[in-house]
Amino acid sequence: MDTRVSDILRQKGHDVVTGEPSDTVLECIATMVQHNVGSMVVVEGRQIAGIFTERDYLRRIALKGRTSRTTRVEEVMTKDVLYVMPEQTVEECLQIMTTHKCRHLPVVTEEELDGIISIGDCVKQISRDAQTEAHTLKAYITGQYPA
C-alpha cells in the first residue's frame, strides 16, 4: 500500500507550531514545550525560513555557551529545510529522514507551509497499514472476505 503524506495529514491535521525569525530561543522552547513538540517551523508569512529542533538547541545553544534569552532563533535554526509534498509516500519520507538524519519534515503545497510530519507519524501509519493488511488477509483466508 502506498500511503501518502496527505493520508497522514488527513488524520493528524494541518496545524504546525511556528515561530518568527526574530523570536528568542527561549520563546521558541517555551512554545515547543507548551505544544509538546520537538520542533517548530520558523516562518515569514506562510513561507518557511527555517526549522528549529531540540537537536539545534543542544548543538547551537547549549554546547556553544549561548544564552536562550538573548539569542534569536534565526541565528541558530536550520536554514536549509528539507520538505515534502502531500503526494509523496511515507516510504519516501522515511528514506529522506534516514538519509539526512532528521525527524521532522514540513509539508509544502503550492510553495506554502501546509503541515508537518514526524518520523513517529510515519511509523504509526506503517503500523496501521500493516494491521489493516493483516485483517484483510485473515478475512480472506477464513472466507469472510470482503472484511
Side-chain angles (χ1 to χ4, degrees):
M1 179 181 290
D2 283 339
T3 304
R4 310 252 172 227
V5 170
S6 57
D7 298 320
I8 293 174
L9 291 181
R10 196 171 11 266
Q11 289 185 359
K12 81 174 261 187
H14 296 261
D15 292 341
V16 182
V17 176
T18 62
E20 296 181 5
S22 60
D23 292 345
T24 67
V25 169
L26 186 62
E27 290 170 323
C28 291
I29 292 169
T31 300
M32 290 165 59
V33 168
Q34 177 187 355
H35 294 281
N36 195 30
V37 296
S39 72
M40 68 185 311
V41 179
V42 182
V43 295
E44 293 178 298
R46 292 284 293 168
Q47 301 297 311
I48 299 172
I51 189 166
F52 181 68
T53 67
E54 295 163 325
R55 184 177 291 167
D56 291 329
Y57 176 80
L58 291 172
R59 290 182 177 172
R60 299 179 185 147
I61 297 292
L63 286 179
K64 301 279 184 182
R66 292 179 164 197
T67 132
S68 303
R69 292 187 190 282
T70 59
T71 304
R72 291 172 18 158
V73 75
E74 68 185 340
E75 298 173 47
V76 294
M77 68 186 181
T78 299
K79 293 179 182 169
D80 294 326
V81 180
L82 298 169
Y83 63 89
V84 293
M85 297 180 195
E87 62 272 7
Q88 287 184 257
T89 67
V90 171
E91 288 79 14
E92 289 174 315
C93 295
L94 286 172
Q95 182 63 50
I96 291 168
M97 290 177 185
T98 301
T99 300
H100 296 281
K101 296 182 174 120
C102 65
R103 294 179 292 207
H104 304 89
L105 292 170
V107 181
V108 173
T109 303
E110 296 179 11
E111 298 184 22
E112 289 192 356
L113 181 62
D114 189 29
I116 192 166
I117 62 167
S118 69
I119 197 164
D121 296 328
C122 293
V123 170
K124 284 180 204 169
Q125 186 62 50
I126 288 172
S127 176
R128 280 193 290 266
D129 291 348
Q131 289 174 353
T132 299
E133 185 175 2
H135 176 73
T136 302
L137 289 171
K138 182 179 177 183
Y140 178 76
I141 291 168
T142 60
Q144 300 169 344
Y145 189 81

Short mmCIF file of all heavy atoms in Angstrom, two decimals, residues 84 89-102 105 117-123 126:
data_model
loop_
_atom_site.label_atom_id
_atom_site.label_comp_id
_atom_site.label_asym_id
_atom_site.label_seq_id
_atom_site.Cartn_x
_atom_site.Cartn_y
_atom_site.Cartn_z
N VAL A 84 8.58 17.98 2.19
CA VAL A 84 7.91 17.04 1.30
C VAL A 84 6.60 17.63 0.83
O VAL A 84 6.14 18.65 1.37
CB VAL A 84 7.68 15.67 1.98
CG1 VAL A 84 9.00 14.96 2.25
CG2 VAL A 84 6.87 15.81 3.26
N THR A 89 5.14 9.49 -0.80
CA THR A 89 4.79 8.33 0.01
C THR A 89 5.50 8.38 1.37
O THR A 89 6.52 9.05 1.53
CB THR A 89 5.18 7.01 -0.69
OG1 THR A 89 6.61 6.94 -0.78
CG2 THR A 89 4.55 6.89 -2.07
N VAL A 90 4.94 7.63 2.30
CA VAL A 90 5.54 7.52 3.62
C VAL A 90 6.93 6.90 3.50
O VAL A 90 7.86 7.33 4.19
CB VAL A 90 4.63 6.69 4.55
CG1 VAL A 90 5.33 6.36 5.86
CG2 VAL A 90 3.32 7.43 4.81
N GLU A 91 7.08 5.94 2.62
CA GLU A 91 8.39 5.31 2.42
C GLU A 91 9.42 6.33 1.93
O GLU A 91 10.58 6.32 2.38
CB GLU A 91 8.29 4.15 1.43
CG GLU A 91 7.59 2.92 1.99
CD GLU A 91 6.05 3.05 2.02
OE1 GLU A 91 5.49 3.96 1.37
OE2 GLU A 91 5.42 2.24 2.72
N GLU A 92 9.04 7.22 1.02
CA GLU A 92 9.95 8.27 0.56
C GLU A 92 10.35 9.18 1.72
O GLU A 92 11.52 9.56 1.85
CB GLU A 92 9.29 9.13 -0.53
CG GLU A 92 9.12 8.44 -1.86
CD GLU A 92 8.32 9.28 -2.86
OE1 GLU A 92 7.27 9.85 -2.49
OE2 GLU A 92 8.76 9.35 -4.01
N CYS A 93 9.40 9.52 2.57
CA CYS A 93 9.68 10.38 3.72
C CYS A 93 10.66 9.72 4.68
O CYS A 93 11.61 10.36 5.15
CB CYS A 93 8.39 10.74 4.45
SG CYS A 93 7.28 11.74 3.45
N LEU A 94 10.45 8.44 4.95
CA LEU A 94 11.36 7.73 5.85
C LEU A 94 12.77 7.66 5.26
O LEU A 94 13.76 7.77 5.98
CB LEU A 94 10.83 6.33 6.15
CG LEU A 94 9.65 6.29 7.12
CD1 LEU A 94 9.07 4.89 7.19
CD2 LEU A 94 10.05 6.78 8.49
N GLN A 95 12.85 7.50 3.95
CA GLN A 95 14.16 7.47 3.29
C GLN A 95 14.86 8.83 3.44
O GLN A 95 16.05 8.89 3.75
CB GLN A 95 14.01 7.11 1.81
CG GLN A 95 15.33 7.02 1.07
CD GLN A 95 16.23 5.92 1.62
OE1 GLN A 95 15.80 4.80 1.79
NE2 GLN A 95 17.48 6.25 1.89
N ILE A 96 14.13 9.91 3.26
CA ILE A 96 14.70 11.25 3.42
C ILE A 96 15.17 11.45 4.86
O ILE A 96 16.28 11.92 5.11
CB ILE A 96 13.66 12.33 3.03
CG1 ILE A 96 13.39 12.30 1.53
CG2 ILE A 96 14.13 13.73 3.46
CD1 ILE A 96 12.17 13.11 1.09
N MET A 97 14.32 11.07 5.81
CA MET A 97 14.67 11.24 7.22
C MET A 97 15.91 10.42 7.60
O MET A 97 16.77 10.90 8.34
CB MET A 97 13.49 10.86 8.11
CG MET A 97 12.33 11.81 8.03
SD MET A 97 10.96 11.20 9.05
CE MET A 97 9.70 12.38 8.67
N THR A 98 15.99 9.20 7.08
CA THR A 98 17.13 8.34 7.38
C THR A 98 18.41 8.89 6.75
O THR A 98 19.44 9.00 7.41
CB THR A 98 16.86 6.91 6.87
OG1 THR A 98 15.69 6.41 7.51
CG2 THR A 98 18.03 5.99 7.16
N THR A 99 18.33 9.25 5.50
CA THR A 99 19.50 9.76 4.79
C THR A 99 20.04 11.04 5.41
O THR A 99 21.25 11.22 5.56
CB THR A 99 19.15 10.01 3.30
OG1 THR A 99 18.72 8.78 2.71
CG2 THR A 99 20.34 10.56 2.53
N HIS A 100 19.14 11.94 5.79
CA HIS A 100 19.54 13.26 6.28
C HIS A 100 19.53 13.38 7.81
O HIS A 100 19.73 14.47 8.35
CB HIS A 100 18.67 14.34 5.65
CG HIS A 100 18.84 14.41 4.16
ND1 HIS A 100 19.91 15.03 3.57
CD2 HIS A 100 18.09 13.90 3.16
CE1 HIS A 100 19.80 14.92 2.26
NE2 HIS A 100 18.71 14.23 1.99
N LYS A 101 19.25 12.27 8.48
CA LYS A 101 19.24 12.23 9.94
C LYS A 101 18.38 13.34 10.55
O LYS A 101 18.81 14.11 11.40
CB LYS A 101 20.67 12.30 10.48
CG LYS A 101 21.49 11.10 10.09
CD LYS A 101 22.88 11.17 10.67
CE LYS A 101 23.60 9.90 10.37
NZ LYS A 101 24.77 10.01 9.61
N CYS A 102 17.14 13.40 10.08
CA CYS A 102 16.19 14.37 10.64
C CYS A 102 14.93 13.62 11.04
O CYS A 102 14.69 12.50 10.60
CB CYS A 102 15.90 15.49 9.66
SG CYS A 102 15.06 14.98 8.15
N LEU A 105 9.61 16.70 8.91
CA LEU A 105 9.58 17.25 7.55
C LEU A 105 8.34 18.12 7.38
O LEU A 105 7.22 17.63 7.47
CB LEU A 105 9.54 16.12 6.51
CG LEU A 105 10.78 15.25 6.37
CD1 LEU A 105 10.49 14.04 5.49
CD2 LEU A 105 11.93 16.06 5.81
N ILE A 117 5.16 16.47 9.23
CA ILE A 117 5.10 15.07 9.65
C ILE A 117 6.40 14.73 10.38
O ILE A 117 7.44 15.31 10.11
CB ILE A 117 4.86 14.10 8.47
CG1 ILE A 117 5.98 14.18 7.45
CG2 ILE A 117 3.50 14.35 7.83
CD1 ILE A 117 5.96 13.04 6.45
N SER A 118 6.28 13.79 11.27
CA SER A 118 7.45 13.34 12.04
C SER A 118 7.72 11.88 11.72
O SER A 118 6.88 11.19 11.14
CB SER A 118 7.18 13.50 13.54
OG SER A 118 6.20 12.56 13.96
N ILE A 119 8.87 11.43 12.15
CA ILE A 119 9.19 10.01 11.96
C ILE A 119 8.17 9.15 12.72
O ILE A 119 7.76 8.09 12.25
CB ILE A 119 10.65 9.72 12.39
CG1 ILE A 119 11.09 8.38 11.82
CG2 ILE A 119 10.83 9.81 13.89
CD1 ILE A 119 12.59 8.18 11.84
N GLY A 120 7.70 9.63 13.86
CA GLY A 120 6.67 8.93 14.62
C GLY A 120 5.37 8.80 13.85
O GLY A 120 4.72 7.74 13.87
N ASP A 121 4.98 9.87 13.14
CA ASP A 121 3.77 9.81 12.31
C ASP A 121 3.90 8.73 11.24
O ASP A 121 2.95 7.99 10.98
CB ASP A 121 3.52 11.16 11.61
CG ASP A 121 3.24 12.30 12.56
OD1 ASP A 121 2.65 12.06 13.63
OD2 ASP A 121 3.62 13.44 12.21
N CYS A 122 5.08 8.66 10.62
CA CYS A 122 5.32 7.67 9.56
C CYS A 122 5.27 6.26 10.11
O CYS A 122 4.65 5.37 9.51
CB CYS A 122 6.65 7.95 8.88
SG CYS A 122 6.70 9.49 7.94
N VAL A 123 5.90 6.03 11.25
CA VAL A 123 5.91 4.70 11.86
C VAL A 123 4.49 4.28 12.25
O VAL A 123 4.08 3.14 12.01
CB VAL A 123 6.88 4.66 13.06
CG1 VAL A 123 6.72 3.36 13.85
CG2 VAL A 123 8.32 4.82 12.59
N ILE A 126 2.61 3.27 9.06
CA ILE A 126 3.04 1.95 8.57
C ILE A 126 2.45 0.85 9.44
O ILE A 126 2.00 -0.19 8.93
CB ILE A 126 4.58 1.88 8.51
CG1 ILE A 126 5.08 2.73 7.35
CG2 ILE A 126 5.06 0.44 8.37
CD1 ILE A 126 6.57 2.90 7.29
#
